[in-house]
Amino acid sequence: MQSRSAPPTLAEIKATWPPAVDVPTAGAAFGLSRSHAYELVARGEFPAKVVKFGGRYKVLTESLIRALSATD
């Protein structure tokens, strides 16, 4: 059985994450699975700002930090 790694801490995100990350990475910060994170993006319900660059979705780290800070 594979163990899940703990989600990144807010301090870790602030210190080390780039300005935008992919959906699975951002989803992990909220404790979401990859598939659920993409479902939320498709429904326009992801808890942080998602932008589309070409054919890829990116989550703005600053928006993610604001959303996580609001839940603490």
Side-chain angles (χ1 to χ4, degrees), residues 29-55:
F30 290 104
L32 303 172
S33 70
R34 176 186 177 93
S35 62
H36 189 64
Y38 276 113
E39 286 173 19
L40 292 175
V41 169
R43 294 194 311 243
E45 298 175 3
F46 196 81
K49 174 93 173 158
V50 179
V51 293
K52 191 169 183 180
F53 290 107

Side-chain angles (χ1 to χ4, degrees), residues 4 14 30 37 39 42 47 56-57 69:
R4 287 184 130 183
K14 287 178 178 180
F30 290 104
E39 286 173 19
R56 297 175 187 241
Y57 290 101
S69 295

